[in-house]
Amino acid sequence: MATTTVHRTCPLCEAVCGLRITLDDDGRVTGVRGDADDPFSRGFICPKGAGLGALDGDPDRLTVPLVRKDGEWREATWQEAYAAVEEGLGRVTAEHGRGSVAVYLGNPTAHSMAGALYGSALIRALGTRNVYTASTADQMPKHVACGLMFGNPFAIPVPDLDRTSYLLMLGANPLESNGSLCTAPDFPGRLKALRKRGGRLVVVDPRRTRTAALADEHVFVRPGADAYLLAGIAHTLLAENRTAVRVPVRNLEELRTLLAPFSPEAVTDRCGVPAEVIVRLARELAAAPAAAVYARIGTCTAEFGTLAQWLVDVLNVLTGNLDRPGGAMFPKAATEAPGGRRKPYATGRWHSRVRGLPEANGEFPVATLADEIETPGEGQVRALVTVAGNPVLSAPNGPRLDRAFADLDFMVSVDPYLNETTRHAHVILPPPRVMQTGHYDFALLGFAVRNYTRYSPPALPLEPGRPSEAEIMATLTMIASGQGADADPALVDELILDQMLRRAADAPGSPVSGRDPAALRAELTGTTGAELRLDAMLRLGPYGEWSGAPERLSLRTLLEHPHGLDLGPLSPRLPEVLRTPSGEVDLAPGPIAADVERLRAALPAAPPGIVLIGRRHLRSNNSWMHNVRPLVGGSNRCTLQINPADVAQLGLGDHATIRSATGELTVPLEPTDAIMPGVVSLPHGWGHHGTPQRVAAGHPGVNANTLTDDTPLDAPSGTAVLNGVPVTLSTPREHAP
Ligand SMILES: Nc1nc2c(c(=O)[nH]1)N[C@H]1C(S)=C(S)[C@@H](COP(=O)(O)OP(=O)(O)OC[C@H]3O[C@@H](n4cnc5c(=O)[nH]c(N)nc54)[C@H](O)[C@@H]3O)O[C@H]1N2
Ligand SMILES: Nc1nc2c(c(=O)[nH]1)N[C@H]1C(S)=C(S)[C@@H](COP(=O)(O)OP(=O)(O)OC[C@H]3O[C@@H](n4cnc5c(=O)[nH]c(N)nc54)[C@H](O)[C@@H]3O)O[C@H]1N2
Ligand code: SF4
Ligand SMILES: [Mo]
């Protein structure tokens, strides 16, 4: 049988690896390998990428829309499904107003063109403030910290992995996750290269992970206490006069005052790291020729997540490593929008109805979505739109959301699967296969450790009448804005293009200043609205054809380079990227200073008994790859890791009942001395009950978010506390001797 070979970016995680994929005559994927000609990933591939064919061809993926009436699912045409959405959303907004519709955008929207290009248009068209995403179970603390320090929540420095000589990594396990907010294909190889060139890697984690095993040093930390450890390091740098600030800053003296209570001796009991280790880490960071501090999910979804993220970059600034090669640097993405005004970054511009929680980046905490659905009154959420999300398994107190969703008047989900969340929808709109979908990493290339760009056009055409996910999103936008399901979805793109080009032509310093927007529009190429918009962003971007940059990037250039284009190592970008009113890095912004008071107040608190944390597995991806046979089984299991000393002390057998403030589960134990005593770890994304996903149903596991509490939050960002959850363990009745 004949085969076709295509080269495309893997859409499954943040590492953006290039893949070489073979397809047979029927369009089935017959083989997936790393793309050796991709200048960034250079042939790297992980088991998930290798399983892309199985995922793409999963017979349990939906191929037509489903509509649910009187508890019965029925296959529907696209016209019928859209009409049902129009009726359902129309009914709820007519009765309860636009604010009664909530929207939840899940993790894959950060990987898809549809999510990047139409997510905010849909939100605007819905005209609601009930906006929720996976970010408040993830990286929102980093956005808030960077918004306050740099004036731009998306100006997130990344470790310059390939040139650093010292990397202090906290709460990240890239040997399983392949990296996050640090786009680096072959992260494991890049870490090995760091050590090979004489650099030092220190990993801080309550578990001795595979990443920790590869490091020069592993430091155990009490869950949720990273902010204390980082404050202790910063305190030491200041106390020992080991600072070398090289960027414009304000509030250095204020910082000194804020950190005064957090000497290594003061924080050691709270974070579980010996004072002499804290002092040594500070001295090593200060002495390294180039060093970077990098912290991820384990430090974000924690009680003091925003403070930890702030302290990470405080350390990068104090050691002179912010914005210098080998330190923590700001990438320059090919689609970065030009310009941007200086203005104060603020959260809490509006507040949630029930708990009065501040918005951050225009979102409310996902931890309060159930409150907004369950609590009657003016503004109660009665309808929900979910796109690429599975909050029943991914949000804190998931079972409560499960019950709340069952009570909605209307719900529509854009998702390829009927799963734990979408089973509550009245309409499911399935996007087409990965191979039928164009791919550009608008979000992730902004966090890449080398400047790089690559576009993957669809490898296969759509079946006649089948919309792309971009068209599904554009149609939902049309419905939400009142133009109706029959309106041409391409109008959404034309409207956005018109605004973008007009703004560029009007901006005084812009490379196309004074040009006719219609003439600019006529220069654009692309076969879809998404491609036209990508073309416009590339041309206006820092390497763009219209910007007069030597790379002269446009969609055409990217199509001519199917393996991607290297745009060089990261280069210093300050003060250009700063958007603070002062034009300086703010080391002690007001909301941070206020939250430090919370940190100080909790300093003497005795650490609770046993606490729960999460973990990831290389062959898993949040909740939605457990139906791919090659990826499940073996060590990819939903077990509770526990230190053997705790097993003995609690007299446990091979299972335990684990209880928290919100729920209880019975789980198989996996004793291992790789985890600290007093800490247990359960992966999230499991608990597959009541879905027709046949492989997943065969090994359901349990929903770790039964145990995570939706009440405590990282105050400044509204992020859920998924790590460091107090629990108790006992022998299950049915397992008692
Ligand atoms: N294979 C795989 N890859 C993935 C995903 C997946 O599910 N599977 N998910 C993707 C997503 S959505 C994301 S956001 C990224 C996340 O990418 P990473 O941030 O690298 O995530 P994890 O692998 O969970 O590593 C987090 C580590 O934090 C540790 N930890 C827990 N609590 C604490 C704490 O309080 N302090 C410290 N210092 N450490 C703590 C855990 O033991 C764990 O080793 O991964 C992405 N990639
Ligand atoms: N306890 C605990 N909970 C956690 C975490 C943790 O570490 N511990 N991690 C948190 C993190 S970092 C994250 S990002 C969240 C993730 O939270 P969510 O985004 O809510 O959950 P996912 O499991 O990623 O669900 C993705 C959904 O998108 C669908 N999907 C896949 N591809 C596509 C596509 O191309 N288009 C569309 N429309 N849909 C698609 C899948 O079928 C699935 O239903 O979970 C969070 N929850
Ligand atoms: S590391 Fe991520 S991007 Fe690379 S092949 Fe694996 S899943 Fe795909
Ligand atoms: Mo995430």
Side-chain angles (χ1 to χ4, degrees), residues 586-619:
D586 192 345
L587 291 176
I592 293 280
D595 207 40
V596 169
E597 185 45 41
R598 196 170 61 102
L599 187 73
R600 202 196 50 75
L603 182 52
I610 292 195
V611 292
L612 172 75
I613 62 172
R615 69 174 183 272
R616 280 173 168 73
H617 190 283
L618 183 60
R619 284 181 289 114

Side-chain angles (χ1 to χ4, degrees), residues 12-14 48 107 111 137-139 169-180 204-207 209 219 221-226 294-299 301-302 612-623 681 684 723-724:
L12 300 182
C13 89
E14 299 182 41
K48 273 190 295 181
N107 169 272
H111 298 256
D138 191 344
Q139 83 291 359
M169 182 186 301
L170 308 98
N173 186 10
L175 264 76
E176 307 282 358
S177 70
N178 277 301
S180 182
V204 178
D205 198 302
R207 295 185 308 131
T209 60
V219 177
V221 66
R222 291 284 304 164
D226 297 84
Y294 163 68
R296 243 337 242 131
I297 194 86
T299 66
T301 49
L612 172 75
I613 62 172
R615 69 174 183 272
R616 280 173 168 73
H617 190 283
L618 183 60
R619 284 181 289 114
S620 192
N621 199 18
N622 298 330
S623 74
S681 162
H684 71 286
N723 287 305

Side-chain angles (χ1 to χ4, degrees), residues 264-306:
E265 296 71 28
V267 299
T268 176
D269 285 349
R270 189 67 166 83
C271 67
V273 180
E276 59 275 15
V277 174
I278 299 175
V279 171
R280 178 169 53 78
L281 290 175
R283 291 176 184 169
E284 287 177 5
L285 268 179
V293 184
Y294 163 68
R296 243 337 242 131
I297 194 86
T299 66
C300 277
T301 49
E303 195 181 353
F304 301 107
T306 300

